[in-house]
Amino acid sequence: MAQSHLAHGIATPFLATPRPHTHQSLHTIRAALRTIGEQITRAGVPAALGPVVIGLTGNGNVARGCLDILHELPIERVEVKHLHALVTDPNTPLNKIYLAHARPEDYLVRTDGDARPYDREDYYAHPTAYRSVFASTIAPYLTLLLNATAWRPPFPRLMTRADLPCALGLARARGLPGARMRCANVGDVSCDIAGGLEFLERATTIGEPFYGVRVVAGEGERAAAGEGEGVAGVKEANEDTATDVQIMAIDILPTTLPHDASTHFEGAAAPYLHGLIRGYTEGPLTPYSGGGGGDAVQEALERATIARAGGLVGVYDVLRPAVDEFHARAPAVARDAAAPQHHGAARKKRVLLLGSGMVARPAVEVVAARGDVQLVVAGNDRTALDALAREFPRVISKQIDVDSAHDTNTLGALIRDADVVISLLPVTHHTLIASHCLTSHTHLITASYTTPALSALHTRALASGVLILTEMGLDPGLDHLSALDVLERVKGKGEEVRGFVSFCGGLPAPEDQEQGGKGGGRTPGGYKFSWNPRGVLEAGLNGARFRLDNQIREIAPGTLFEHVFPDVPVSVAGMEGCKFEGLANRDSVKYQEAYGVPLARTFVRGTLRCVFPSFLPPPLLSFIGALRISRTRTHTDTQASQP
């Protein structure tokens, strides 16, 4: 609010309003607000602003929280019917903050012109018989609107899109003091997008807590004069346009004070959590029988219970047709749901991890740490499987050769017994694995690139309700997520992406790079081999395709290491002495549309490696040449994403 006033050349004590996330506790925020209040009491607010009026809606916990914190200021309550007199009276003291707590009876009237006052029972029985006049009777007088009301159809909105320009126009038409700053600041604590405040189009963030909207010239005045509704007049402002209304709608406000919020939520949730635990440890949760003197926690848990002992409960039985339909489409899921459940120990989810090589161990470590998962690791390397079993005793290991026709039935059986398959095998196996998953209604996750053969299974997967997630590794995978995060933030600022370059890769520690370092010397190729080195080098036999300065560039298969991007400008802490170079990564062009930047003149995805000045890395071409001569169809059972 204070920043919007400053844009009109008015500095107020509210410029010192604390940002919650910069304080350790609510106590220090209250102290800061009291200091602001003392300054207002002593010196008042600028006359050009006129009386500061805060309007609050709602009667629930959120509204009560607003009232609690606002009373750190020199608050004087005012009834809605007195707002016009208060704001227009030149003798109204400016060393107070006026609070109008608007209730439904203050702004809801009947649509048929009936003069009967608001009746709560009638309103809830016939919501369409009422409309809100908040925009004409209350909003034009407010310096700040705090909305804490919930809304749902078919009830009338507090303010529609048409109402906003109307309220702004009325403030000016009535000649109110500080008219251009009336109804110009809105805090929607409910964060109900396009809800009670229809013109709220998006939530805001802690980093960017507000955004501006503007009214198309003339819309507000015409609406105030009854010449138009102004619906088309509300648009989000940008850096090049003026802002008429500033809106705050942070949907994660409690996280700005994590300690206070956690303490409060812990106290509120603990009784229900303890009730659930008692139900599982002392006996099954029994339905609440009603009547006075009952356990309020048990009663609340009963109302919240959707299913018990494998069956839907109470009002939730209306979901049965949809549940039955889902089970009919997914026999494996239906079988599991119908299986008897042992009291106190729900059936563990079964995860099958295919592959036991270099990538497998960190995956096993993460999955096996979950107490609600039974992990089976299957691979063709008995030594690696035994090592994993020794380190993770709860893991079941199975030796299997996916290349062997003899083990095809074994593979199918393992997949049938799983809820989810994580495949870290080479991409050549994934079509076979996916086919088994579709037959068994088992979900599949893999880090490998999507192949045409896997894409051809898309329709079957949809029909079977089976999720097949590919490109879920580091590269491809996390690089997609980080890239889209950056692109969304850039586009969110209204900027256009003309070029996109992304490099991803594992980097060896400096001591393992430099000749004579404690790690034993240089690492071949300046690349961290976190997966099968043969797979890395085989990937070097692939070609590459990317867009550079609006021209498609291609690198022929087998020549990838002869074409590098030198001196990639990357800064990595602890590796200040390292130069980086990039290698083009497969077909970048096909991702340009998926990333939502079809107009980018440059689009490159690549793999990063480092070159320290103290040595020259061994030429990889000799590796590639030898590999091309000796390449066979034998596969180690590792692994996954390929640069």
Side-chain angles (χ1 to χ4, degrees):
M1 179 175 72
Q3 286 82 358
S4 70
H5 295 162
L6 197 61
H8 289 281
I10 300 175
T12 72
F14 290 108
L15 284 170
T17 302
R19 297 286 294 275
H21 65 278
T22 64
H23 284 249
Q24 291 186 345
S25 70
L26 187 59
H27 174 75
T28 60
I29 292 178
R30 290 183 180 277
L33 287 176
R34 284 195 294 271
T35 300
I36 294 172
E38 292 166 0
Q39 184 180 352
I40 292 173
T41 301
R42 187 171 56 252
V45 299
L49 188 60
V52 173
V53 181
I54 297 176
L56 174 66
T57 62
N59 298 300
N61 289 332
V62 175
R64 287 193 288 271
C66 291
L67 288 171
D68 179 55
I69 197 72
L70 285 173
H71 277 95
E72 302 297 343
L73 300 171
I75 290 292
E76 180 175 311
R77 294 219 183 195
V78 58
E79 292 185 36
V80 165
K81 62 183 179 181
H82 295 150
L83 280 176
H84 183 79
L86 175 86
V87 174
T88 57
D89 185 352
N91 297 317
T92 297
L94 300 180
N95 62 348
K96 299 177 181 179
I97 303 298
Y98 299 94
L99 173 65
H101 189 182
R103 303 182 185 278
E105 56 266 30
D106 294 321
Y107 55 83
L108 289 175
V109 299
R110 295 184 64 86
T111 56
D112 58 7
D114 192 321
R116 284 181 298 166
Y118 164 86
D119 181 82
R120 188 175 188 274
E121 290 187 7
D122 182 64
Y123 172 64
Y124 278 93
H126 309 97
T128 57
Y130 290 80
R131 65 184 179 90
S132 170
V133 293
F134 190 93
S136 59
T137 60
I138 302 175
Y141 303 100
L142 303 182
T143 313
L144 171 65
L145 167 60
L146 296 176
N147 179 45
T149 57
W151 175 84
R152 69 178 188 273
F155 291 87
R157 302 177 193 271
L158 184 69
M159 290 179 66
T160 65
R161 285 180 59 86
D163 286 337
L164 184 59
C166 176
L168 293 171
L170 286 172
R172 297 164 192 173
R174 293 171 183 173
L176 303 179
R180 297 194 67 84
M181 289 161 284
R182 299 284 168 193
C183 196
N185 288 276
V186 176
D188 194 338
V189 193
S190 74
C191 293
D192 187 5
I193 308 302
L197 299 179
E198 188 181 24
F199 52 81
L200 176 66
E201 296 184 346
R202 64 180 177 88
T204 59
T205 65
I206 296 172
E208 296 181 354
F210 52 81
Y211 71 95
V213 299
R214 61 188 179 90
V215 175
V216 175
E219 289 291 339
E221 289 78 359
R222 296 210 315 275
E227 299 173 3
E229 295 183 346
V231 176
V234 181
K235 297 181 180 179
E236 184 167 344
N238 56 47
E239 296 177 356
D240 300 323
T241 58
T243 294
D244 292 309
V245 180
Q246 185 171 266
I247 300 176
M248 184 281 294
I250 300 174
D251 57 1
I252 54 170
L253 269 177
T255 63
T256 61
L257 290 169
H259 181 269
D260 292 272
S262 298
T263 301
H264 172 78
F265 290 145
E266 176 191 12
Y272 303 100
L273 179 60
H274 293 158
L276 284 174
I277 293 173
R278 285 198 307 271
Y280 280 105
T281 57
E282 299 175 7
L285 289 172
T286 56
Y288 178 69
S289 59
D295 185 342
V297 170
Q298 184 184 4
E299 180 183 1
L301 289 173
E302 176 62 23
R303 288 197 306 268
T305 300
I306 298 174
R308 181 187 293 110
L312 294 166
V313 173
V315 297
Y316 298 104
D317 193 60
V318 298
L319 301 174
R320 184 170 304 281
V323 172
D324 291 343
E325 180 185 355
F326 174 77
H327 286 171
R329 290 191 297 111
V333 176
R335 177 199 64 213
D336 294 339
Q341 301 295 309
H342 299 288
H343 170 64
R347 184 187 71 80
K348 293 184 177 181
K349 294 294 183 181
R350 295 176 297 228
V351 175
L352 171 64
L353 190 147
L354 297 174
S356 56
M358 295 175 67
V359 179
R361 190 206 167 277
V364 170
E365 182 178 13
V366 171
V367 178
R370 295 188 53 134
D372 59 344
V373 169
Q374 176 62 67
L375 177 62
V376 176
V377 181
N380 65 1
D381 188 338
R382 184 73 263 173
T383 301
L385 289 170
D386 290 343
L388 289 171
R390 285 193 300 271
E391 186 174 359
F392 305 99
R394 291 192 302 163
V395 171
I396 299 172
S397 64
K398 299 284 186 180
Q399 187 171 12
I400 182 175
D401 184 358
V402 178
D403 282 319
S404 170
H406 174 74
D407 281 349
T408 299
N409 291 335
T410 304
L411 175 65
L414 288 172
I415 291 175
R416 279 194 303 275
D417 287 338
D419 296 300
V420 178
V421 173
I422 302 174
S423 177
L424 302 179
L425 297 178
V427 66
T428 51
H429 296 299
H430 288 153
T431 304
L432 172 64
I433 294 168
S435 297
H436 279 296
C437 287
L438 291 173
T439 301
S440 303
H441 296 275
T442 302
H443 304 303
L444 171 64
I445 302 173
T446 172
S448 294
Y449 277 100
T450 305
T451 63
L454 280 176
S455 296
L457 299 176
H458 178 66
T459 302
R460 281 185 60 194
L462 286 177
S464 302
V466 172
L467 183 65
I468 299 179
L469 282 177
T470 59
E471 304 189 16
M472 287 288 110
L474 168 64
D475 174 8
L478 291 180
D479 62 331
H480 291 329
L481 300 181
S482 61
L484 289 174
D485 177 61
V486 171
L487 290 171
E488 287 301 316
R489 283 190 277 123
V490 169
K491 289 188 283 189
K493 297 178 181 178
E495 299 175 358
E496 183 178 333
V497 178
R498 293 296 183 91
F500 175 86
V501 178
S502 170
F503 286 100
C504 179
L507 302 174
E511 60 267 25
D512 289 325
Q513 275 285 334
E514 296 174 347
Q515 184 72 15
K518 66 181 182 181
R522 60 181 72 169
T523 299
Y527 180 88
K528 178 177 174 59
F529 289 87
S530 56
W531 54 295
N532 189 345
R534 183 188 183 95
V536 176
L537 296 177
E538 279 189 330
L541 297 177
N542 295 313
R545 186 168 174 260
F546 52 90
R547 187 184 301 276
L548 197 62
D549 196 20
N550 217 30
Q551 293 186 1
I552 301 297
R553 306 291 181 90
E554 297 191 10
I555 297 176
T559 66
L560 185 64
F561 290 100
E562 300 174 35
H563 302 83
V564 300
F565 294 95
D567 299 325
V568 176
V570 175
S571 176
V572 179
M575 303 185 71
E576 289 77 7
C578 178
K579 291 177 61 178
F580 295 93
E581 61 185 21
L583 298 167
N585 197 345
R586 302 287 185 100
D587 185 0
S588 297
V589 178
K590 72 176 184 179
Y591 290 98
Q592 190 167 348
E593 194 74 30
Y595 279 23
V597 287
L599 300 181
R601 296 177 58 84
T602 293
F603 192 90
V604 179
R605 294 177 66 254
T607 297
L608 196 67
R609 64 173 182 160
C610 54
V611 182
F612 280 84
S614 59
F615 76 99
L616 290 176
L620 288 178
L621 294 180
S622 60
F623 285 101
I624 298 299
L627 184 66
R628 296 179 74 175
I629 294 172
S630 61
R631 189 176 188 183
T632 69
R633 292 299 299 170
T634 57
H635 292 279
T636 59
D637 86 295
T638 47
Q639 254 108 349
S641 59
Q642 301 174 358

